[in-house]
Amino acid sequence: MSEPIIKFDKVVKRFGDLTVLDELDFQVEQGEKVTIIGPSGSGKSTVLRVLMTLEKINEGVVYIGGEPLWHESRNGKLHEASEAHLRKMRNQMGMVFQQFNLFPHMTVLRNLTEAPVRVLGMSKADVRQRGEELLDLVGLSDQKDKYPHQLSGGQQQRVGIARALAMRPRIMLFDEPTSALDPELVGEVLNVIRRLAKEHDLTMLLVTHEMHFAQQISDRVCFFDKGKIKEQGTPEELFKAPKEARTQEFLKAVLNPD
Amino acid sequence: MFFGIEWDTSSNLAFALSILPILLIGLWVTIQATVLGFFIALILGLVLATLKSAPTRLISWPAKAITEFIRDTPLLVQLFFLYYVLPDYGIVLPAFLTGALALGVQYSAYTSEVYRAGLEAVAKGQHEAARALNLPSPRTFTHVILPQAIPRIIPALGNYLVSIMKDVPVLSVVTVLEMLNVATIIGDRTFNYLIPLSMVGGLYLILTLLASSGVRYIDVHLPKRGLSLK
Ligand SMILES: Nc1ncnc2c1ncn2[C@@H]1O[C@H](COP(=O)(O)OP(=O)(O)OP(=O)(O)O)[C@@H](O)[C@H]1O
Ligand SMILES: [Mg+2]
């Protein structure tokens, strides 16, 4: 097998006394669609935030495409990464946030074009065209001149997905993309993600509570507990025949909430 | 006679009309002190806000202490301090400049808080989204954070403009000939305080209403595009 595109090697992340990632080992292959499930506070978001360089790590090494994310090697030794290195690494990833985090003072299209013009150095015309294509992809071509607050939550999140895609990432990170949505709006967002999941080359890492959806799109599901992967496997294995008692307990609680 | 203008004490109305030009000269000084003081407060406040948000406590702590000190001492104390102490160190400023400086220093403590609060009110997710998109920090500041902070900052600053204007009479104690000082001098010389002081009140009322409605106008017409400022 080729080099994993994402690799956590004994990664520790602490907030004060609280250990959120506990010597985590975790790998994702190029093009793989991996879902992370687990109880609140188990460190699911932290995994994504560490990858997106929103959260530093305390110990261990994270590799993206074989290259350390939070470190740079000089003279065969690993040193803390410079901002220039982080910028380079960050360009390979895109993130979709639970709260969308769209820029409220920019139109929908501007949300998609702002960063590519500045960061990728593409021409405005190209970026605009690409932005319109992406809006088409998420079914919002007619909304491009609106401001985020004029859209429904589901539409806003679709803009969020398009905005992340505009940077042409190799890896897409989704942190509970539908948790902030009214139930009737969840479907339209999941449909967009489902369509993305068909892209063979795109690596996807998704934290979600939508178990049915996870089952449909994932190559692999990881159950997180206390900052570690307690159990992982294909959706079949994990949902139909969980081995660990913690996993069984968790699945029972989320699948039959009463 | 004052500023070369004679007053007419034949009737109350004639007196009022004759001293109006004198009071307007004082009013002009009041406006100048307000504008200069406000300008100093805007700049100094920005400096203080920047220092307070510095990553090292060596810088942020003294800046916070200074802000607190300025805020907790009366304007008059600061004014006397600047007026009587600065010359001891060879800095001799005209009373007007000293006064404007005192106003600017006093209000920089408030404006620095306005800046800080405005910037901090921008959601953390905005910084994170910009970082995830790899936007350079200066661009993030100027095109993501500032546009969301400014609509919160401007109205609050405007309110301080009005407050500064109402504090200008304090400068009369260091001989600045602003409107109130002019009015009391007229009173001293004519033994009629009622009319000049009433006129000062009236002129202040007009000025404050104008400034407040100006601030409100800016507030309403400031482009807020998509921002809800709740
Ligand atoms: N900035 C922070 N400072 C302190 N503690 C934090 C911080 N961010 C996260 N934590 C804590 O770290 C733990 C793991 O957080 P994380 O967000 O990764 O959990 P999660 O698995 O995503 O949970 P949820 O399902 O609730 O989103 C939680 O206990 C959380 O309170
Ligand atoms: Mg989370």
Side-chain angles (χ1 to χ4, degrees), chain A residues 49 52-53 87 90-91 101-106 114 118-119 147 149 163 167, chain B residues 125-126 128-136 139 143-144 147-148 225-227:
Chain A
R49 294 171 56 80
M52 199 63 255
T53 69
R87 290 188 64 80
R90 227 181 264 141
N91 259 350
N101 295 351
L102 297 181
F103 301 132
H105 57 298
M106 296 182 188
E114 170 69 19
R118 294 289 137 191
V119 182
Y147 286 96
H149 75 105
R163 180 177 69 172
M167 294 299 287
Chain B
Q126 294 291 304
E128 294 186 345
R131 197 165 150 89
L133 291 166
N134 230 346
L135 270 187
R139 182 82 186 176
H143 281 71
V144 176
Q148 298 185 59
R225 296 172 310 187
L227 298 181

Side-chain angles (χ1 to χ4, degrees), chain A:
Chain A
M1 215 187 309
S2 62
E3 181 109 52
I5 190 164
I6 299 172
K7 182 175 174 194
F8 280 63
D9 184 7
K10 299 239 176 313
V11 171
V12 176
K13 171 67 192 175
R14 293 185 210 95
F15 289 111
D17 292 339
L18 182 70
T19 302
V20 178
L21 300 183
D22 186 8
E23 300 202 359
L24 176 68
D25 288 319
F26 177 47
Q27 293 193 5
V28 179
E29 302 302 323
Q30 160 93 43
E32 206 181 1
K33 322 294 184 240
V34 175
T35 305
I36 298 177
I37 61 171
S40 181
S42 57
K44 307 181 298 294
S45 298
T46 305
V47 168
L48 302 195
R49 294 171 56 80
V50 160
L51 284 168
M52 199 63 255
T53 69
L54 301 176
E55 220 68 81
K56 280 189 184 177
I57 57 175
N58 297 100
E59 287 166 38
V61 186
V62 177
Y63 298 91
I64 303 292
E67 198 174 347
L69 174 64
W70 280 105
H71 303 84
E72 271 172 290
S73 61
R74 261 171 281 147
N75 313 325
K77 269 191 173 174
L78 289 183
H79 299 267
E80 194 173 330
S82 63
E83 179 60 22
H85 176 80
L86 292 178
R87 290 188 64 80
K88 187 187 80 183
M89 300 302 286
R90 227 181 264 141
N91 259 350
Q92 308 178 52
M93 287 168 279
M95 183 153 178
V96 175
F97 298 89
Q98 186 176 351
Q99 302 296 338
F100 327 139
N101 295 351
L102 297 181
F103 301 132
H105 57 298
M106 296 182 188
T107 63
V108 164
L109 186 59
R110 184 72 196 282
N111 263 276
L112 268 63
T113 56
E114 170 69 19
V117 170
R118 294 289 137 191
V119 182
L120 303 181
M122 293 163 64
S123 81
K124 278 202 174 137
D126 288 352
V127 166
R128 227 187 127 80
Q129 197 197 334
R130 164 112 176 120
E132 286 177 4
E133 284 167 18
L134 285 168
L135 284 179
D136 204 32
L137 179 81
V138 299
L140 292 172
S141 1
D142 49 341
Q143 311 287 330
K144 67 179 157 88
D145 295 321
K146 292 209 175 144
Y147 286 96
H149 75 105
Q150 296 169 300
L151 305 182
S152 73
Q155 291 174 320
Q156 290 188 44
Q157 190 58 299
R158 286 187 276 155
V159 174
I161 294 170
R163 180 177 69 172
L165 288 171
M167 294 299 287
R168 303 176 178 276
R170 298 206 286 158
I171 303 169
M172 279 288 281
L173 309 168
F174 297 85
D175 191 2
E176 300 197 30
T178 58
S179 294
L181 298 178
D182 293 337
E184 73 271 19
L185 301 177
V186 168
E188 61 187 65
V189 173
L190 293 185
N191 279 336
V192 168
I193 300 176
R194 197 174 281 132
R195 226 172 308 141
L196 269 185
K198 299 212 173 84
E199 291 222 13
H200 186 69
D201 282 338
L202 189 68
T203 306
M204 286 175 37
L205 201 50
L206 180 100
V207 175
T208 186
H209 291 301
E210 303 283 338
M211 296 302 155
H212 187 64
F213 177 71
Q215 204 162 340
Q216 291 172 346
I217 67 147
S218 318
D219 299 316
R220 180 158 53 104
V221 180
C222 297
F223 173 68
F224 267 66
D225 191 35
K226 302 198 177 86
K228 282 189 153 145
I229 297 177
K230 190 89 182 175
E231 183 171 357
Q232 57 180 320
T234 63
E236 282 289 291
E237 292 166 353
L238 202 95
F239 288 117
K240 302 278 153 57
K243 296 192 185 74
E244 298 283 334
R246 264 311 266 136
T247 322
Q248 292 165 3
E249 219 175 286
F250 173 78
L251 285 175
K252 202 169 147 211
V254 289
L255 295 176
N256 319 296
D258 319 303

Side-chain angles (χ1 to χ4, degrees), chain B residues 82-106:
Chain B
L82 292 175
Y83 190 68
Y84 293 110
V85 177
L86 282 188
D88 289 348
Y89 294 90
I91 305 169
V92 183
L93 295 174
F96 174 79
L97 284 185
T98 311
L101 186 62
L103 286 171
V105 168
Q106 168 83 6

